[in-house]
Amino acid sequence: MKYPPSLVALIRELSRLPGIGPKSAQRLAFHLFEQPAEDIERLSAALLAAKSELHTCPVCFNITDAELCDVCSDPSRDQNLICVVEEPGDVIALERSGEYQGLYHVLHGVLSPMNGVGPEQLHIKELLPRAREGLEVILATGTTVEGDATALYLQRLLEPLGAEVSRIAYGLQVGSALEYADEVTLGRALLGRQKIRG
Amino acid sequence: MKYPPSLVALIRELSRLPGIGPKSAQRLAFHLFEQPAEDIERLSAALLAAKSELHTCPVCFNITDAELCDVCSDPSRDQNLICVVEEPGDVIALERSGEYQGLYHVLHGVLSPMNGVGPEQLHIKELLPRAREGLEVILATGTTVEGDATALYLQRLLEPLGAEVSRIAYGLQVGSALEYADEVTLGRALLGRQKIRG
């Protein structure tokens, strides 16, 4: 039995997506086959529209459909605070926290020499001209080995330019019990202890 | 910060896919954003092509892009054997085993009164006219409660029509150790023991 070429093509395209192996791609393809044509057309159109309308903000490299992104073009945001993150999804996560009113800079990755990602592959050279006296840069790359290394690398570049550089806090997750925290996190949480303001 | 509408639309469409929650949909959308435009166009085109070119075979309800599916239109397949499965993906799995040379009948689901799936929602009425003296029907629905119930239901309909009805064997997985098998499977494997042909 030969499979119809259009089914094979769809399974192949779906299995290129991250986290979707050949089996999931096949299941997705069969699921899509069962959906009404309007749904498939809507998904297909959403893909094309997103690709044609979206681009990165030339200042912070967040995703936007305007000339500047919503954050960069908002004068009410704190212009003396830049939070450096790995991916556009991190901006969404931070915005959702509601705690942050400054600007962003999206690196689009993290230093990873093993995977051939050096400083040139990230939006680091565009971050440096934004550094100046009176600016605080919060390094909010992930708390992985690569995230830490990237933060250290950026700190060494940014401090000579006069910016104050900080790292997002390590510590216990909110709502978690001490006994379930790993030793490294617990150690960092102790080191990062803060005075209780009464 | 407002997210660009085309990004929101893409995340919404992706999160309708089975097994993809809002977080995965967001990750997928950002991943797609980073891909070259050709890749997105190819995925989008594959979706539309699959939907417009594929349909179910009017005899066995397998997915095909021809009038009859490859199996139904192949005269070398054993016309006295029909294997009844739940989904088109099951046909692919059985074909891959290389053990089966008969025909298929795809129910497109399984009896599940709790989910409002009765005999009318499945391709059961189209199976009955295929039953006749000299035909063997292998019920290869899943070994779940619903799969077993569907097999029992079909057996009661098919046997009076003169067909010989069998159920795919329960037993140990090939390459598995007895100590890891669950009791029910082990019990069924004992009941289904077969004489060793010397």
Side-chain angles (χ1 to χ4, degrees):
Chain A
M1 181 195 161
K2 293 193 322 297
Y3 310 123
S6 52
L7 180 61
V8 174
L10 179 58
I11 293 174
R12 187 184 58 230
E13 292 304 322
L14 290 171
S15 62
R16 288 162 170 271
L17 300 174
I20 296 185
K23 284 257 173 164
S24 314
Q26 188 181 301
R27 231 181 351 249
L28 269 179
F30 287 130
H31 167 88
L32 289 165
F33 171 76
E34 310 267 357
Q35 303 311 304
E38 307 89 77
D39 284 22
I40 305 301
E41 281 154 21
R42 216 167 39 231
L43 172 57
S44 170
L47 282 163
L48 294 177
K51 189 64 197 174
S52 68
E53 290 172 20
L54 299 177
H55 53 266
T56 51
C57 171
V59 175
C60 74
F61 299 92
N62 189 9
I63 294 184
T64 181
D65 58 354
E67 202 175 330
L68 283 181
C69 80
D70 262 30
V71 174
C72 288
S73 59
D74 180 352
S76 76
R77 307 282 303 213
D78 185 345
Q79 307 290 316
N80 292 318
L81 199 53
I82 292 181
C83 182
V84 178
V85 296
E86 293 178 18
E87 299 294 347
D90 301 334
V91 173
I92 295 192
L94 282 162
E95 286 292 293
R96 211 179 283 132
S97 81
E99 291 294 330
Y100 186 69
Q101 289 303 322
L103 307 175
Y104 290 99
H105 194 89
V106 185
L107 298 173
H108 284 266
V110 76
L111 290 178
S112 176
M114 298 274 284
N115 299 313
V117 182
E120 317 74 43
Q121 275 76 50
L122 306 178
H123 291 294
I124 289 179
K125 63 180 179 299
E126 296 93 344
L127 172 61
L128 303 185
R130 302 181 73 185
R132 54 174 167 74
E133 294 281 346
L135 177 79
E136 181 183 351
V137 179
I138 304 173
L139 300 172
T141 49
T143 58
T144 57
V145 173
E146 287 93 349
D148 279 341
T150 308
L152 193 65
Y153 180 86
L154 291 176
Q155 182 211 345
R156 289 182 182 163
L157 287 179
L158 293 166
E159 273 181 351
L161 300 170
E164 192 184 317
V165 182
S166 60
R167 180 86 168 104
I168 196 167
Y170 296 84
L172 294 174
Q173 293 198 334
V174 174
S176 67
L178 250 74
E179 60 173 324
Y180 297 124
D182 64 281
E183 334 51 286
V184 184
T185 299
L186 217 45
R188 296 284 199 128
L190 282 169
L191 284 174
R193 68 191 177 279
Q194 304 208 331
K195 268 228 157 64
I196 300 173
R197 279 166 232 134
Chain B
M1 178 196 163
K2 293 194 321 301
Y3 309 124
S6 52
L7 180 61
V8 173
L10 179 59
I11 293 174
R12 188 184 56 229
E13 293 302 322
L14 289 172
S15 63
R16 288 162 170 271
L17 299 175
I20 297 183
K23 285 258 173 163
S24 314
Q26 190 181 300
R27 234 184 347 252
L28 269 180
F30 288 129
H31 167 87
L32 288 166
F33 171 76
E34 310 269 359
Q35 302 312 303
E38 309 88 77
D39 284 22
I40 306 301
E41 281 153 21
R42 214 165 44 229
L43 172 57
S44 170
L47 282 163
L48 294 177
K51 189 63 197 176
S52 69
E53 290 172 19
L54 299 177
H55 55 265
T56 51
C57 171
V59 175
C60 75
F61 298 93
N62 189 10
I63 295 184
T64 181
D65 58 356
E67 200 175 331
L68 283 182
C69 80
D70 262 28
V71 174
C72 287
S73 59
D74 180 352
S76 77
R77 307 280 306 210
D78 185 345
Q79 307 290 316
N80 291 318
L81 200 54
I82 292 180
C83 182
V84 178
V85 296
E86 293 178 17
E87 300 293 348
D90 302 334
V91 172
I92 295 192
L94 283 163
E95 285 293 294
R96 210 179 284 131
S97 82
E99 290 293 329
Y100 185 70
Q101 290 301 323
L103 307 175
Y104 291 99
H105 193 90
V106 185
L107 298 173
H108 284 263
V110 75
L111 289 178
S112 176
M114 299 273 284
N115 299 312
V117 182
E120 318 73 43
Q121 275 76 49
L122 306 177
H123 291 296
I124 290 179
K125 63 179 178 301
E126 295 92 344
L127 173 62
L128 303 184
R130 301 181 75 185
R132 54 174 167 75
E133 294 281 345
L135 178 79
E136 181 183 349
V137 179
I138 304 174
L139 300 172
T141 49
T143 58
T144 58
V145 173
E146 287 93 349
D148 279 341
T150 307
L152 193 66
Y153 179 84
L154 291 176
Q155 181 211 348
R156 288 181 183 165
L157 287 178
L158 292 166
E159 273 181 349
L161 299 171
E164 193 185 319
V165 182
S166 59
R167 182 86 169 103
I168 197 167
Y170 297 85
L172 295 174
Q173 294 196 334
V174 173
S176 68
L178 250 76
E179 61 173 324
Y180 297 124
D182 65 281
E183 325 66 276
V184 184
T185 299
L186 218 43
R188 295 283 199 129
L190 282 170
L191 283 175
R193 67 189 178 280
Q194 304 207 332
K195 265 228 159 67
I196 300 172
R197 278 168 233 133

